[in-house]
Amino acid sequence: NAGVMQNPRHLVRRRGQEARLRCSPMKGHSHVYWYRQLPEEGLKFMVYLQKENIIDESGMPKERFSAEFPKEGPSILRIQQVVRGDSAAYFCASSPPLPGELFFGEGSRLTVL
Amino acid sequence: DQQVKQNSPSLSVQEGRISILNCDYTNSMFDYFLWYKKYPAEGPTFLISISSIKDKNEDGRFTVFLNKSAKHLSLHIVPSQPGDSAVYFCAAGASNRDDKIIFGKGTRLHILP
């Protein structure tokens, strides 16, 4: 029974390139969250999605960042034209339909050169 | 606007003694609270939770206390063990399913030999 799967675990990009981070939730989980952890900071909420629906994206930067959770396939966090300040660990979590515990993936570490 | 605050960035406790991690929240709509533990280069893992209808929840060495009037909760670990050295995140959510779960910045716990 696989947990939340994130890939890639590590991603290196040059400034101006695009980064795509993928997250497959646990089986039976219909809700996906993305959080960002910057060095020396906590987990900052970015976006909360259901299948084919963005519930809350109040934590997403207005430009360059987008997220989706299609009917089929993983959730994708996309960062266009990356800058050095985007370097961080990006964590995905999933939860079942009822409110409660979040189950986290191992994270994707983005380094922008 | 930080809705979940962990005011101590770090805490050192002697092995065998009690570790007390504190968390304050501002949003009165929060009605369930969670504690997560995170080791370096790993995703956060769930420790214990409490809903607002209770003021205490215990699971082995871990006990969470909730003081709704003070909007304060604490995690007690007793006795503290070396493997407890990690970053601990407090999180809060509202059982309205459209609400996201908000995390504090974390407290780094060091268990001293």
Side-chain angles (χ1 to χ4, degrees):
Chain A
N1 183 19
V4 177
M5 304 298 292
Q6 287 190 251
N7 69 83
R9 291 292 309 277
H10 300 276
L11 182 63
V12 178
R13 285 287 177 265
R14 297 193 180 280
R15 279 180 297 170
Q17 292 184 318
E18 179 180 288
R20 282 190 183 221
L21 309 177
R22 286 175 291 277
C23 170
S24 297
M26 285 182 71
K27 189 175 180 181
H29 285 190
S30 54
H31 295 78
V32 164
Y33 296 73
W34 285 94
Y35 290 85
R36 175 164 66 174
Q37 185 180 25
L38 293 165
E40 304 304 319
E41 289 198 20
L43 292 163
K44 190 170 180 187
F45 169 80
M46 297 183 75
V47 63
Y48 171 27
L49 310 108
Q50 267 181 319
K51 288 273 186 186
E52 300 183 282
N53 185 29
I54 295 175
I55 298 174
D56 185 335
E57 57 181 346
S58 58
M60 290 276 272
K62 294 281 184 282
E63 297 175 348
R64 303 187 297 109
F65 284 71
S66 62
E68 62 175 8
F69 189 15
K71 189 176 179 182
E72 301 290 338
S75 174
I76 307 282
L77 179 67
R78 183 183 179 206
I79 311 171
Q80 295 177 289
Q81 298 175 296
V82 295
V83 300
R84 289 219 174 101
D86 297 332
S87 295
Y90 292 83
F91 290 95
C92 170
S94 71
S95 72
L98 292 175
E101 181 186 340
L102 296 183
F103 294 80
F104 280 86
E106 296 287 310
S108 292
R109 277 148 191 86
L110 172 65
T111 301
V112 179
L113 303 177
Chain B
D1 177 28
Q2 224 182 319
Q3 298 185 62
V4 178
K5 299 178 187 177
Q6 294 177 257
N7 292 320
S8 299
S10 66
L11 176 68
S12 295
V13 174
Q14 207 77 36
E15 182 180 353
R17 306 293 287 267
I18 183 170
S19 295
I20 300 176
L21 298 108
N22 292 303
C23 178
D24 297 292
Y25 62 96
T26 58
N27 188 342
S28 56
M29 295 299 292
F30 290 147
D31 57 5
Y32 67 99
F33 306 88
L34 313 99
W35 284 94
Y36 282 79
K37 176 180 180 179
K38 186 182 181 303
Y39 292 120
E42 293 185 13
T45 54
F46 171 76
L47 264 181
I48 192 168
S49 65
I50 189 167
S51 78
S52 59
I53 62 173
K54 299 173 81 171
D55 54 19
K56 177 182 173 182
N57 189 24
E58 195 171 348
D59 183 3
R61 295 186 300 114
F62 302 92
T63 303
V64 56
F65 295 91
L66 175 63
N67 181 335
K68 288 187 289 294
S69 60
K71 293 194 176 68
H72 176 84
L73 62 153
S74 60
L75 174 68
H76 293 213
I77 308 172
V78 56
S80 300
Q81 298 175 353
D84 296 331
S85 293
V87 177
Y88 289 78
F89 291 100
C90 171
S95 52
N96 168 358
R97 260 326 248 144
D98 286 345
D99 245 9
K100 54 193 175 280
I101 293 176
I102 302 293
F103 283 77
K105 289 196 170 185
T107 296
R108 186 177 299 276
L109 177 64
H110 301 271
I111 303 302
L112 307 170

